[in-house]
Amino acid sequence: MARDPRFDILFDPVRIGPVTAPNRFYQVPHASGMTNALPRVRAGFRETKAEGGWGVVCTGACSIHPSSDDSPLPFATLWDKDDIKAHALMTEAVHRHGSLAGVELFHGGAVVMNRTTRTPPLSPSGTPWMATHIGFMSNLRPRIMDKQDIRDLLQWQAEGARKARSAGFDIVYVYAGMGYLPYEFLLSDYNQRTDEYGGSVENRVRLIRQMIEVTKEAVGDTCGVALRVSLEELRKRPGRHMASEAHEVIALLKDDPDLFDVKLDTTPTDCSASRFSPEGSHEPIISFVKTLTDKPVVGVGRFTSPDTMVSQVKRGVLDLIGGARPSIADPFLPNKIKEGREDEIRECIGCNICISSWHDGVPVRCTQNATAGEEWRRGWHPEKFAPARRQEKVLVVGAGPAGLECARVLSRRGVQVTLADKADEFGGRLRFETRLPGLSAWGRVLDYRMQALRSDANVEMYPGSALSADDILEFGCDRVVTATGSRWGTELYADSELPTAPFNAPGVYTPDDLAAGAVPEGPITVFDFDSYYMGGLIAEWLARQYGDVTYVTPAGQASAWTIMTNELPRVHQALTRAGVPVRTLSRVAGFGGGALTLTGLFVDQPERIACRSLVITGLRRPDDTLYQQLMARPADLAAAGIRSVDRIGDAMAAGAIVHAVFSGHEYAREFDLTPAERNWRRDRPVVTEPFGPGIYEG
Ligand code: ADP
Ligand code: SF4
């Protein structure tokens, strides 16, 4: 199909110093969990984005020196010759598609804890970072940098830039964002120095200017030099001569880098979940930058709509459309716009599961794109599917995320697919969950797959079809896939920190009851030991409708696991706004007669609070009844010509939507492979040099 001419502007080339980006689609540096121990996984992941049309593809944070050691969080390194070779795999892969490769050179300062290298963290004035991030902090406080340390840092940056050039990168970063070392020099809270690097804004930008200078000297006219800078905090602080310190910083540096990559300061706002921030949420903070510099500007905002992208460029907000999550969810987003197929974009839903992968220390996982991180390891391509080995008819029962993804991929492989669900509308758990506050964007999981399924001639869809084992045996198919989901239980939580037996009493509800339309009587208590989004969201949702809701959890925070998805602070803010008191480190010890007995998790301190309805978000178990019924009838299955019956998604193991989509995808890709063919490839570090010093300078 022809491209809509109104999107032509997105395909203009953009000069970045001595190099030229072929279009405005710029995959900004983002964490991938792919360290130098996984160089081929990393190259495959980044290459797919170049193949999909991203004109610039960058690495995630890449440490320039062992004093910037972010372990156990995954990070890349450019320390020695083998590191250069490891990155060269990525730059060569990106160049094969005519895109530019960028590297985010990084020194973490007081944010990194140097747990492996055992070097005291460096900082301008010895101030530690974020005392609330207990999981990431250390008991070792940073040391104050002296002049020699600053000279060393500049040398490491220059060395890093030279190594980056040797590895084949086209764009080299100075990274002054997200609390990292050069950012700490910018912010007076971290920087109380009395020398020429502290005090006035002019002094606080000095280090960054010098870092840009040494980077430019190191790369000559072979690479563009980008400055990535966080502006949220600085924007809040009035400047001496301009509207804010952010304005003053940009004005002072306006001619120094070849590109400004602008962002916010902390992950909950910079990389905010869609639950709390819409597309383009950075604009109010960063829109001033282009008014102060003639250099190109890139920024992000979870952009998935080409109209929004065009608007950003035409209104002079950005020159390059930055994408991290949108490029993970759909590496082929640019090409789909280019080819007039924008309705096929697999839009990021803003769930931040990708971020949780980084916190988990593993390669990136994506709810929408099951192939992310599996390009090299399993040979999965997001847009290409091997034809099925033989003509088969597959019945998929259950059209939640698992069944939908399974049917989509099966049909792309040429399989005759029938997708049935007992509900009148497809979507499974999404039918309810997208009605909860802030989760409407999660409907894209359904929308994308319905769009794909409707365009495939070999798919038949039957909503409103509850299937029994007899129905299936009569239906006539080669294989059956049950994607029948899961059920929330009513178990409570004992003082042993183990679940109790189910607690089925009048006034006790689960999310399934609420989804089916039950209306709890107030006062309501939500007792949450699932600890992901559901308990906090249900409390917020019920409070907005009926008021008088208390949230209780044995965890230390509300929706405690959402620390992994950058949502935790904002969950607490949302509950406070909704008027929901939060009781942590507590469990329910009794319920009845209009009251609930709470007690401490570690300290036995019973307390009664008024409560007529108890909503439990605790255990979720597979609903695999249909699967078990079919498996109990092997002779009937054989007589019906059914060769296999499987479970996928929540019907196999209850999890997040990402697990269900992956499970459906995996089945559809691999159901006709042999066990040996299903084996994925194991990546290994590049090791060619003799064991030598930790850092190579040359
Ligand atoms: P998952 O996350 O694994 O995709 P969901 O709970 O979202 O699971 O979806 C499961 C779907 O399966 C629901 O839409 C439900 O209506 C459907 N389902 C469950 N049992 C049957 C059945 N026997 N026949 C048809 N549909 C079923
Ligand atoms: Fe977007 Fe979620 Fe995928 Fe991350 S995991 S890219 S937020 S859909």
Side-chain angles (χ1 to χ4, degrees):
M1 263 160 62
R3 171 169 83 227
D4 189 322
R6 74 181 194 278
F7 302 141
D8 285 353
I9 194 170
L10 299 175
F11 296 90
D12 291 345
V14 181
R15 277 199 76 76
I16 302 171
V19 297
T20 302
N23 58 39
R24 296 184 191 269
F25 292 94
Y26 191 112
Q27 183 249 277
V28 291
H30 70 79
S32 68
M34 296 163 194
T35 64
N36 285 24
L38 299 172
R40 295 160 196 86
V41 168
R42 181 169 65 195
F45 174 65
R46 302 290 184 191
E47 175 173 14
T48 306
K49 301 187 195 207
E51 186 192 347
W54 294 86
V56 179
V57 178
C58 299
T59 62
C62 185
S63 166
I64 52 174
H65 189 264
S67 60
S68 178
D69 154 26
D70 211 6
S71 57
L73 292 170
F75 64 103
T77 52
L78 252 176
W79 296 349
D80 65 17
K81 289 182 182 170
D82 278 338
D83 285 348
I84 296 173
K85 291 174 192 154
H87 284 287
L89 295 176
M90 178 270 197
T91 60
E92 285 159 15
V94 167
H95 290 158
R96 274 199 283 278
H97 303 278
S99 303
L100 300 179
V103 59
E104 183 181 55
L105 297 184
F106 141 85
H107 198 293
V111 173
V112 296
M113 292 302 150
N114 298 339
R115 288 177 173 90
T116 305
T117 56
R118 306 185 73 174
T119 311
L122 297 175
S123 83
S125 304
T127 308
W129 174 81
M130 287 232 182
T132 53
H133 280 50
I134 303 298
F136 308 137
M137 63 181 264
S138 136
N139 301 323
L140 180 61
R141 297 290 176 252
R143 81 172 166 83
I144 299 172
M145 293 169 77
D146 60 21
K147 289 287 176 55
Q148 184 57 44
D149 292 320
I150 290 179
R151 283 192 291 275
D152 287 346
L153 175 70
L154 292 169
Q155 193 206 319
W156 301 335
Q157 174 72 21
E159 275 296 327
R162 274 190 283 277
K163 289 171 189 161
R165 193 186 53 181
S166 303
F169 285 105
D170 310 288
I171 299 171
V172 179
Y173 270 71
V174 171
Y175 190 11
M178 307 295 281
Y180 299 133
L181 186 52
Y183 170 92
E184 290 164 18
F185 274 81
L186 277 184
L187 228 67
S188 52
D189 313 57
Y190 288 104
N191 182 351
Q192 290 108 36
R193 298 177 74 95
T194 51
D195 62 7
E196 68 269 32
Y197 291 97
S200 64
V201 176
E202 287 79 359
N203 279 358
R204 283 183 269 138
V205 301
R206 189 179 310 279
L207 177 76
I208 293 173
R209 174 169 285 140
Q210 290 175 344
M211 288 179 81
I212 295 170
E213 275 167 17
V214 298
T215 308
K216 285 198 159 174
E217 277 165 27
V219 297
D221 59 2
T222 57
C223 304
V225 174
L227 171 64
R228 192 171 215 202
V229 59
S230 291
L231 297 173
E232 191 179 10
E233 260 320 305
L234 291 164
R235 186 82 209 257
K236 290 180 196 157
R237 295 161 195 225
R240 265 186 309 153
H241 315 295
M242 301 179 84
S244 75
E245 288 201 352
H247 289 73
E248 294 185 348
V249 166
I250 298 294
L252 285 165
L253 294 172
K254 69 185 173 64
D255 297 320
D256 292 67
D258 297 318
L259 168 79
F260 282 93
D261 179 340
V262 289
K263 63 186 326 222
L264 309 194
D265 300 39
T266 61
T267 46
T269 52
D270 183 63
C271 193
S272 177
S274 60
R275 183 175 161 188
F276 302 110
S277 306
E279 182 178 24
S281 63
H282 287 205
E283 185 178 330
I285 309 286
I286 57 88
S287 57
F288 77 91
V289 175
K290 264 188 66 63
T291 65
L292 297 178
T293 178
D294 295 329
K295 303 290 180 177
V297 177
V298 62
V300 294
R302 209 165 38 75
F303 297 120
T304 55
S305 149
D307 283 309
T308 308
M309 298 172 195
V310 168
S311 157
Q312 293 276 317
V313 176
K314 287 205 166 153
R315 289 185 297 114
V317 180
L318 298 174
D319 298 293
L320 293 136
I321 301 301
R325 289 172 292 175
S327 74
I328 299 171
D330 195 342
F332 278 66
L333 179 148
N335 280 358
K336 288 179 183 176
I337 299 171
K338 190 176 179 182
E339 293 158 13
R341 298 188 291 125
E342 55 274 6
D343 56 340
E344 293 177 31
I345 294 172
R346 189 170 43 239
E347 289 183 282
C348 166
I349 68 167
C351 61
N352 283 2
I353 283 293
C354 47
I355 315 279
S356 78
S357 324
W358 179 62
H359 290 137
D360 277 337
V362 296
V364 70
R365 281 89 176 81
C366 171
T367 298
Q368 277 283 59
N369 176 13
T371 68
E374 302 293 351
E375 300 84 356
W376 180 86
R377 194 166 75 142
R378 289 179 208 251
W380 289 0
H381 189 282
E383 303 292 319
K384 294 181 192 157
F385 304 91
R389 290 205 167 138
R390 56 169 122 164
Q391 275 300 319
E392 289 192 291
K393 224 176 135 184
V394 178
L395 171 65
V396 180
V397 187
L404 287 163
E405 177 71 352
C406 185
R408 178 184 81 88
V409 177
L410 285 173
S411 80
R412 291 284 139 116
R413 296 193 60 203
V415 172
Q416 285 291 323
V417 187
T418 304
L419 178 61
D421 198 294
K422 65 183 175 191
D424 290 334
E425 283 171 35
F426 282 179
R429 61 194 285 180
L430 295 166
R431 287 193 299 273
F432 174 58
E433 294 187 14
T434 51
R435 283 165 41 209
L436 295 172
L439 291 199
S440 60
W442 291 25
R444 294 170 174 185
V445 172
L446 172 65
D447 298 342
Y448 165 71
R449 288 168 181 81
M450 289 306 287
Q451 193 274 348
L453 289 168
R454 283 196 197 104
S455 66
D456 276 1
N458 47 337
V459 182
E460 290 178 353
M461 296 190 270
Y462 295 99
S465 304
L467 297 185
S468 64
D470 286 332
D471 295 333
I472 291 170
L473 289 165
E474 269 171 39
F475 176 73
C477 61
D478 300 299
R479 297 178 190 273
V480 180
V481 183
T482 60
T484 46
S486 60
R487 303 284 303 167
W488 290 90
T490 55
E491 292 85 353
L492 288 171
Y493 198 74
D495 57 2
S496 58
E497 299 201 38
L498 291 172
T500 65
F503 178 63
N504 296 315
V508 171
Y509 299 91
T510 70
D512 294 321
D513 300 321
L514 303 179
V519 178
E521 190 186 347
I524 304 168
T525 295
V526 175
F527 179 54
D528 179 22
F529 62 98
D530 169 67
S531 293
Y532 190 18
Y533 56 89
M534 185 59 87
L537 260 176
I538 293 234
E540 186 188 340
W541 182 65
L542 292 174
R544 284 194 196 176
Q545 294 175 86
Y546 312 117
D548 212 350
V549 176
T550 301
Y551 172 92
V552 178
T553 180
Q557 289 128 333
S559 297
W561 195 81
T562 61
I563 184 82
M564 307 297 268
T565 50
N566 293 348
E567 293 168 288
L568 186 85
R570 303 188 76 174
V571 170
H572 278 262
Q573 288 158 8
L575 287 170
T576 302
R577 267 199 308 274
V580 178
V582 171
R583 307 284 300 257
T584 58
L585 299 177
S586 303
R587 64 182 185 85
V588 172
F591 171 59
L596 185 81
T597 306
L598 292 180
T599 189
L601 180 66
F602 304 127
V603 183
D604 193 18
Q605 268 178 344
E607 179 192 347
R608 278 168 75 78
I609 62 170
C611 176
R612 297 217 161 270
S613 300
L614 171 62
V615 180
I616 303 170
T617 54
L619 295 189
R620 204 150 51 90
R621 295 190 194 281
D623 179 358
D624 64 351
T625 320
L626 184 62
Y627 170 81
Q628 299 296 355
Q629 286 168 349
L630 287 166
M631 294 302 278
R633 297 170 67 176
D636 294 340
L637 289 172
I642 295 175
R643 308 220 316 243
S644 66
V645 178
D646 284 274
R647 294 172 282 193
I648 59 169
D650 289 316
M652 181 171 62
I657 296 171
V658 62
H659 302 115
V661 170
F662 181 82
S663 169
H665 194 102
E666 184 183 36
Y667 175 89
R669 286 263 185 190
E670 300 189 343
F671 77 97
D672 55 351
L673 302 188
T674 63
E677 288 169 329
R678 277 180 209 158
N679 219 342
W680 41 265
R681 285 197 285 180
R682 186 173 179 191
D683 203 359
R684 286 175 171 76
V686 173
V687 183
T688 61
E689 297 292 321
F691 293 105
I695 187 128
Y696 149 76
E697 291 173 16

